[in-house]
Amino acid sequence: MAMSMPHQIGALSGTPLTAETGGEVPAKGNTTASAVWRTPLTNLRVSVQKTGADVDMLSPTPSPPLSPLKGGMRPDLSVACQALMEALAETAVEREHRLGNSPEKGKGVPVFVMMPLDSVKMDHTVNRKKAMNASLQALKSAGVEGIMMDVWWGLVERDAPGEYNWGGYAELLEMAKKHGLKVQAVMSFHQCGGNVGDSCTIPLPRWVVEEMEKDPDLAYTDQWGRRNYEYVSLGCDTLPVLKGRTPVQCYSDFMRGFRDRFENLLGDTIVEIQVGMGPAGELRYPSYPEQDGTWKFPGIGAFQCYDKYMISSLKAAAEAFGKPEWGHTGPTDAGHYNNWPEDTNFFRKEGGGWDGQYGEFFLTWYSQMLLNHGERILQSAKATFDNKGVKISVKIAGIHWHYGTRSHAPELTAGYYNTRFRDGYLPIAQMLARHGAIFNFTCVEMRDHEQPQDAQCAPEKLVRQVALATQEAQVPLAGENALPRYDDYAHEQILQASSLGIDDQSSDREMCAFTYLRMNPDLFHPDNWRRFVAFVKKMKEGKDVHRCREQLEQEAEHFVHITQPLVQEAAVALMH
């Protein structure tokens, strides 16, 4: 079954690639981007208190009563291809992509393409170098603006704290520069492996894993004691638990190391730094872990606040709120990973705990912890890359299943306090706006009617809500597709969504960029490549283009015919 969450699937050598985001949409209901975000409880603070021996992260103490419990490409291209590419370079409109704004308002959306997750191997070399070179040249010839690549913490700083090996990345970045491609570099502080589509395994740095083995509470934990090692728990963000450094200091030092090593490419070749803030690189909790079949679509997921550091913070918040009995545990009647909202007392539409005083207290604390985590890392990223000519972006998961319900349970467990009566994306957009960052969102290619209706999936409504929130917060919005799609229906949906024509209002506003998932052999299949080239042309032309689509497609067809030798070699190289 094609899952409705944004799983990035693609592969070098024809095997599935890693998932990078999940996306969903809350049902509109009474929600609008201007819906009031209630001020967080004034006494709530995200700073983690010291953990006392009396704090039991798996305390059996029940949550407050909510409701009655219910039961190789050749370097020498053909003369024709070379001539065509030179002509394209001469006639193309120069787009200085600074990502905060489109090159010209209403004048098109630049397209980037995601690289395979294992583009750099564990031995610090470029994976399938000849294939990579051929593929990059083909992408450039098609008018693609640039590429997105993961820069893995677990690979670069693998062996010892503060020892960085940028091998492979230096070569790949130079390759992109040679072909005139821009780069979105993702600071990937999460583990690769364990999610749908993950084609390789890149754990966190060895020395981080060692610390987590000594203190398992550094890992996100659910109410049943299950640990998640994809990303260090944000509960210990400010504590020196990683060989004398805090997690945020480790992320900051890593970004500074990247800046210093590649300063000559910043603002020219490297135009964006996407900062990983959680599992799959997204600002969220690992509430729907797919490893070992723990979670399956469209389950509601589970709260991840049971490590001792998170419980310590919850305890302090509850005491400050005057309800110390609320600080021992999260909701105990919120069901299991694969329940549906109506299966639980906490998320059910009538009398559910989410809509009561305790629910508001807990969800405000839980979501504010996530927002403050993002704030800390953004402050560091902004200071590191200030005046370097690059934009900072943050990826938000598109969690669209059960969006049509009142509680929006899967979004709540992921840390997005979005319900039928409350806009959970405006506070995120406002946080990003304070730091001049880009709101990167997925599931842009999905249509509501393509998703399981019994799970009340609504990706189009979710994308619309996010577009309204970013408009109100005046923050740039960028998009990605969640699943590999090569059909015209998906392309048309992306074109429509990227134009940001909200409520049929005429506006010059468009997405500042779109990143296409992903470079793999399927992309270079003749039919897929033809449609992709036409798609890139349409995106670059912009929503106000007067030329008919048929004319653009004819031009793409002609281009594909001329560049066939180049693309054929790229496809063959990737498959061998």
Side-chain angles (χ1 to χ4, degrees):
M1 172 183 90
M3 302 185 70
S4 49
M5 62 177 292
H7 292 313
Q8 334 273 48
I9 300 175
L12 262 179
S13 76
T15 54
L17 280 187
T18 320
E20 289 180 283
T21 95
E24 284 63 42
V25 190
K28 182 183 179 216
N30 298 327
T31 304
T32 66
S34 57
V36 177
W37 163 255
R38 300 176 190 170
T39 305
L41 306 179
T42 55
N43 289 326
L44 290 187
R45 291 293 182 270
V46 179
S47 55
V48 179
Q49 306 296 317
K50 290 186 178 179
T51 307
D54 58 329
V55 176
D56 179 6
M57 62 99 182
L58 296 179
S59 169
T61 307
S63 62
L66 306 177
S67 51
L69 290 178
K70 95 181 180 180
M73 176 150 116
R74 297 193 319 268
D76 51 322
L77 293 173
S78 69
V79 175
C81 287
Q82 192 65 48
L84 175 68
M85 290 170 66
E86 289 173 359
L88 286 172
E90 291 173 4
T91 58
V93 176
E94 283 302 318
R95 294 172 178 272
E96 266 315 309
H97 183 55
R98 290 295 180 260
L99 278 177
N101 300 288
S102 299
E104 290 181 68
K105 285 191 173 183
K107 296 300 181 184
V109 180
V111 175
F112 289 71
V113 175
M114 294 183 204
M115 292 292 96
L117 296 167
D118 57 354
S119 293
V120 174
K121 297 187 292 184
M122 296 303 285
D123 64 358
H124 305 289
T125 62
V126 174
N127 197 6
R128 298 175 187 261
K129 184 176 177 181
K130 289 184 179 179
M132 188 69 71
N133 189 65
S135 303
L136 294 182
Q137 195 149 11
L139 293 179
K140 178 62 178 179
S141 73
V144 166
E145 183 83 1
I147 59 175
M148 173 181 277
M149 65 171 69
D150 288 281
V151 183
W152 295 104
W153 184 29
L155 200 161
V156 174
E157 197 180 357
R158 179 178 59 196
D159 298 324
E163 294 184 9
Y164 307 111
N165 187 333
W166 304 103
Y169 290 107
E171 191 174 4
L172 193 54
L173 285 164
E174 285 299 329
M175 200 179 290
K177 178 182 179 181
K178 180 184 74 173
H179 292 299
L181 291 166
K182 307 295 186 185
V183 174
Q184 298 168 320
V186 184
M187 304 289 102
S188 296
F189 298 121
H190 61 286
Q191 165 189 293
C192 177
N195 284 304
V196 167
D198 282 1
S199 61
C200 61
T201 299
I202 304 174
L204 298 181
R206 289 172 183 166
W207 52 275
V208 174
V209 174
E210 289 172 4
E211 294 302 302
M212 295 177 87
E213 288 172 348
K214 286 190 281 187
D215 181 2
D217 283 293
L218 298 180
Y220 283 114
T221 308
D222 64 21
Q223 72 182 87
W224 306 282
R226 181 189 180 279
R227 309 285 189 179
N228 185 297
Y229 295 94
E230 292 179 71
Y231 188 87
V232 179
S233 170
L234 63 80
C236 56
D237 266 357
T238 60
L239 302 177
V241 293
L242 298 180
K243 306 286 187 185
R245 290 187 295 168
T246 70
V248 172
Q249 284 176 328
C250 291
Y251 307 147
S252 179
D253 291 345
F254 183 91
M255 290 189 287
R256 194 177 305 112
F258 180 86
R259 177 201 66 190
D260 293 346
R261 175 61 181 82
F262 300 112
E263 191 154 13
N264 63 312
L265 299 176
L266 295 176
D268 180 14
T269 295
I270 302 170
V271 296
E272 178 184 343
I273 302 293
Q274 186 173 105
V275 188
M277 295 190 172
E282 299 163 340
L283 178 63
R284 66 172 174 87
Y285 293 98
S287 56
Y288 46 96
E290 297 166 272
Q291 196 164 23
D292 302 324
T294 301
W295 171 89
K296 293 180 181 178
F297 175 85
I300 58 176
F303 292 112
Q304 306 291 311
C305 59
Y306 292 85
D307 63 79
K308 67 185 181 185
Y309 303 106
M310 291 290 284
I311 288 292
S312 176
S313 174
L314 177 60
K315 181 181 179 183
E319 289 174 351
F321 189 67
K323 293 282 189 178
E325 67 272 21
W326 290 356
H328 299 291
T329 177
T332 57
D333 56 355
H336 293 263
Y337 285 100
N338 294 311
N339 282 145
W340 286 33
E342 289 304 304
D343 296 335
T344 75
N345 281 330
F346 190 76
F347 293 121
R348 65 185 183 182
K349 63 182 180 183
E350 298 291 348
W354 64 275
D355 199 28
Q357 186 185 29
Y358 167 73
E360 182 176 1
F361 160 77
F362 173 79
L363 293 170
T364 298
W365 167 80
Y366 189 69
S367 61
Q368 193 64 39
M369 288 287 279
L370 187 66
L371 285 169
N372 287 11
H373 172 67
E375 192 99 42
R376 291 188 197 101
I377 300 177
L378 271 180
Q379 287 173 346
S380 173
K382 185 176 180 181
T384 300
F385 295 103
D386 195 33
N387 297 318
K388 297 299 179 183
V390 298
K391 288 292 180 178
I392 306 295
S393 72
V394 176
K395 187 176 292 188
I396 309 300
I399 302 174
H400 56 86
W401 52 103
H402 301 298
Y403 183 87
T405 63
R406 294 182 185 177
S407 64
H408 294 236
E411 292 163 90
L412 298 185
T413 58
Y416 305 154
Y417 193 175
N418 192 58
T419 69
R420 179 161 296 184
F421 314 116
R422 182 190 191 103
D423 187 352
Y425 297 97
L426 183 57
I428 297 172
Q430 291 169 333
M431 184 264 289
L432 298 179
R434 285 195 293 275
H435 298 279
I438 294 166
F439 193 123
N440 184 281
F441 198 65
T442 62
C443 72
V444 172
E445 86 286 9
M446 294 181 176
R447 298 173 190 256
D448 291 353
H449 70 82
E450 295 173 340
Q451 311 306 317
Q453 295 307 298
D454 57 343
Q456 300 194 49
C457 301
E460 290 180 78
K461 294 183 181 68
L462 175 58
V463 171
R464 179 182 177 278
Q465 183 186 358
V466 166
L468 284 167
T470 56
Q471 179 175 278
E472 180 166 338
Q474 297 186 318
V475 64
L477 177 62
E480 293 180 5
N481 52 313
L483 296 167
R485 292 279 297 269
Y486 308 100
D487 57 286
D488 289 331
Y489 291 107
H491 290 165
E492 285 299 320
Q493 184 64 24
I494 294 168
L495 284 161
Q496 181 180 332
S498 65
S499 69
L500 299 183
I502 303 169
D503 291 337
D504 298 323
Q505 299 174 5
S506 58
S507 168
D508 283 339
R509 187 170 183 254
E510 293 175 299
M511 285 187 177
C512 61
F514 180 81
T515 305
Y516 192 91
L517 182 148
R518 169 185 316 269
M519 191 187 87
N520 60 25
D522 289 339
L523 177 61
F524 295 112
H525 181 279
D527 289 339
N528 293 343
W529 182 248
R530 173 179 53 79
R531 285 189 287 264
F532 175 73
V533 170
F535 164 73
V536 173
K537 286 182 70 68
K538 292 171 190 174
M539 291 287 280
K540 292 181 71 173
E541 291 278 356
K543 61 182 176 181
D544 296 327
V545 62
H546 297 296
R547 293 197 293 155
C548 67
R549 291 288 166 86
E550 290 77 8
Q551 182 181 352
L552 286 171
E553 286 168 2
Q554 286 174 4
E555 291 176 6
E557 190 78 49
H558 180 64
F559 169 85
V560 169
H561 177 71
I562 294 176
T563 57
Q564 187 176 5
L566 170 64
V567 177
Q568 242 175 356
E569 291 191 73
V572 171
L574 278 170
M575 289 189 288
H576 294 287

